[in-house]
Amino acid sequence: QVQLVESGGGSVQAGGSLRLSCAASGFTVSSSCMGWFRQAPGKEREGVAVIDRNNGTAIAESVRGRFTISREYSENTLYLQMNSLNPEDTAIYYCARLFAWYDCALALGRVDAWGQGTQVTVSS
């Protein structure tokens, strides 16, 4: 059974930081394309960042330079470090596993497993 469980969400003031974690089970994160997506109230779910099996990454332009995606192999865990947070970053953040035909693309259509989501709220 593939399972993804996010944690680390919460409330933070603008300019602050949060680190989200995604604990995976039922598969090996190190051999997978993994990503973070987010969905703000009334908005479509959008890609934030992906990381491939070689630790190559693709970051959405809206968060590039502020967010970093990484993984810890020993714990089979995916992370999203979020710095310089803005109120516009307020959303439910979802961990995801993606299938990759030949690359690891930040695309909703590639997702084959979702976590339950964790709320991130950024206040002014």
Side-chain angles (χ1 to χ4, degrees), residues 22-105:
C22 172
S25 59
F27 73 102
T28 302
V29 167
S30 63
S31 63
S32 302
C33 175
M34 301 293 299
W36 289 95
F37 295 76
R38 68 184 183 183
Q39 188 164 19
K43 301 293 182 64
E44 299 290 332
R45 191 169 298 187
E46 64 178 359
V48 176
V50 290
I51 184 167
D52 65 23
R53 66 184 66 188
N54 299 127
N55 285 329
T57 62
I59 313 296
E61 188 174 2
S62 60
V63 302
R64 197 172 300 157
R66 300 187 296 119
F67 290 12
T68 303
I69 187 170
S70 63
R71 66 179 101 221
E72 183 172 335
Y73 300 109
S74 63
E75 297 182 359
N76 205 36
T77 302
L78 180 74
Y79 298 98
L80 183 68
Q81 179 67 47
M82 305 185 294
N83 298 324
S84 301
L85 285 162
N86 304 315
E88 292 75 19
D89 296 317
T90 295
I92 299 174
Y93 283 72
Y94 298 91
C95 175
R97 185 183 72 176
L98 302 89
F99 63 87
W101 300 113
Y102 59 91
D103 65 348
C104 186

Side-chain angles (χ1 to χ4, degrees), residues 1 18 27 36 94 108 120:
Q1 177 72 42
L18 285 173
F27 73 102
W36 289 95
Y94 298 91
L108 282 168
V120 171

